[in-house]
Amino acid sequence: MEVLGRLLAMLAVLLVGTGLRSSGALNDARTARLNATAYYVALPALVFVATYDQSIGDLLSTELFVGSLAVLFATGAIAWIAYRNRLSNDRRSVAIIQSYHSNLGYLGLPLVAATFDTQVTAIASVILGFVTLVQLPLTIVVLSAFGAAEAAIGRELAALAKNPVLLALIAGLTVGSIGVTFPGGVVVGLDALGSLALPLALLCVGAALQIDADAVDFEAVGSVVALKLCCMPLLAWVVFSALSVDRATFTAGVVMLGMPTAVSTYVYANELGGDAEFASLNVFATTVASVASLFVLITLLG
């Protein structure tokens, strides 16, 4: 019941963000400031605190790396086959990317940190790092292959090099590997900032969601929800079981890869010729439906 209560609270905060945006209380400028606080302050603090006392060798295993990427590419391949002869090009590209592109930063890591122990959170931070480095360029390539807009892969990769969350991950793993200690007060302060990551992220995600009920293609949206929230975590469960990873790695891998579609996919669809309205619907649907799917996953994982 505690897990269900936490997930329902997550949904409530998400819908509060949507309501504040609809009422005008959370306008573009305020949403941008809220987003910047989450992106540049809360999330990096959460990542650093989760990894600063851990060695990278204890967190990143070959099985975790290979398994995560195998699940990512397998889900993408299944989506490509499923949509190969369906939908228009602009919708097909969006359906494919939103079947595998997970919301690892804004929802995944904060939720794991709020639900599981520090070891699982640290491994989830590492998953956030290397999976982001793969799924983002892959998404740009897929959208560009179907769309009319040219890919800005170089620009996006340059932006990744300055990503504060990834920089915090590198800093945390470096500090953990060389054994530097930090004063307790600093750690407590960073931990307090990191605890703001989930509510801030949920408000930002809620404010970014847009939905036009009259334009919903229930079959197409339902198939994306099924691939993202059912197929992908099931594949993760099978792959990590086959690789015989330890319990913390298994938990972090399955939960992180079971996250809903990232809000950023809507942004990239809008920039690179995808169906932005369809992308927004899928983000909304997978995010809301993830309350049920994550409850099942977290309950099964204990």
Side-chain angles (χ1 to χ4, degrees):
M1 291 303 293
E2 181 183 354
V3 172
L4 180 60
R6 183 177 291 121
L7 290 170
L8 289 176
M10 181 183 84
L11 177 61
V13 177
L14 181 83
L15 295 177
V16 166
T18 303
L20 290 174
R21 179 60 181 264
S22 299
S23 68
L26 203 53
N27 56 27
D28 289 341
R30 290 169 183 162
T31 301
R33 287 195 292 270
L34 198 66
N35 187 73
T37 302
Y39 185 66
Y40 289 102
V41 180
L43 280 171
L46 174 60
V47 170
F48 185 82
V49 169
T51 55
Y52 83 99
D53 58 350
Q54 304 270 0
S55 169
I56 188 171
D58 296 332
L59 300 177
L60 179 59
S61 63
T62 302
E63 291 81 6
L64 175 63
F65 183 80
V66 171
S68 298
L69 296 188
V71 173
L72 175 68
F73 284 108
T75 306
I78 292 171
W80 182 82
I81 293 170
Y83 298 114
R84 184 173 50 183
N85 298 316
R86 298 174 55 197
L87 307 177
S88 58
N89 280 348
D90 56 346
R91 285 203 165 190
R92 187 183 308 138
S93 61
V94 168
I96 291 172
I97 66 164
Q98 292 191 314
S99 297
Y100 68 77
H101 196 129
S102 304
N103 193 334
L104 301 176
Y106 270 19
L107 290 184
L109 182 60
L111 180 62
V112 168
T115 309
F116 297 101
D117 61 28
T118 55
Q119 180 69 8
V120 176
T121 302
I123 295 171
S125 298
V126 174
I127 293 172
L128 164 63
F130 71 79
V131 172
T132 296
L133 290 172
V134 175
Q135 72 177 9
L136 178 55
L138 179 61
T139 289
I140 295 171
V141 169
V142 172
L143 284 170
S144 300
F146 287 95
E150 293 185 2
I153 298 178
R155 183 186 67 194
E156 297 300 338
L157 290 178
L160 267 180
K162 298 180 285 187
N163 185 305
V165 178
L166 295 181
L167 292 176
L169 174 63
I170 293 171
L173 291 174
T174 301
V175 168
S177 296
I178 62 179
V180 175
T181 58
F182 277 81
V186 174
V187 176
V188 170
L190 290 173
D191 192 43
L193 287 174
S195 67
L196 298 175
L198 184 57
L200 287 176
L202 288 169
L203 286 173
C204 292
V205 171
L209 296 178
Q210 301 178 34
I211 181 169
D212 180 0
D214 295 331
V216 177
D217 181 343
F218 288 102
E219 182 182 355
V221 172
S223 64
V224 172
V225 171
L227 282 170
K228 186 69 203 72
L229 300 181
C230 298
C231 179
M232 193 167 188
L234 179 59
L235 280 174
W237 194 292
V238 171
V239 168
F240 288 122
S241 294
L243 292 172
S244 300
V245 297
D246 62 78
R247 185 68 179 177
T249 300
F250 184 87
T251 300
V254 171
V255 174
M256 287 291 277
L257 295 175
M259 286 295 134
T261 300
V263 180
S264 60
T265 57
Y266 162 75
V267 177
Y268 292 121
N270 195 44
E271 290 181 352
L272 297 173
D275 187 329
E277 185 175 8
F278 180 57
S280 180
L281 287 170
N282 291 334
V283 171
F284 180 86
T286 58
T287 302
V288 173
S290 70
V291 173
S293 64
L294 289 171
F295 172 71
V296 173
L297 279 181
I298 293 171
T299 301
L300 290 173
L301 291 166

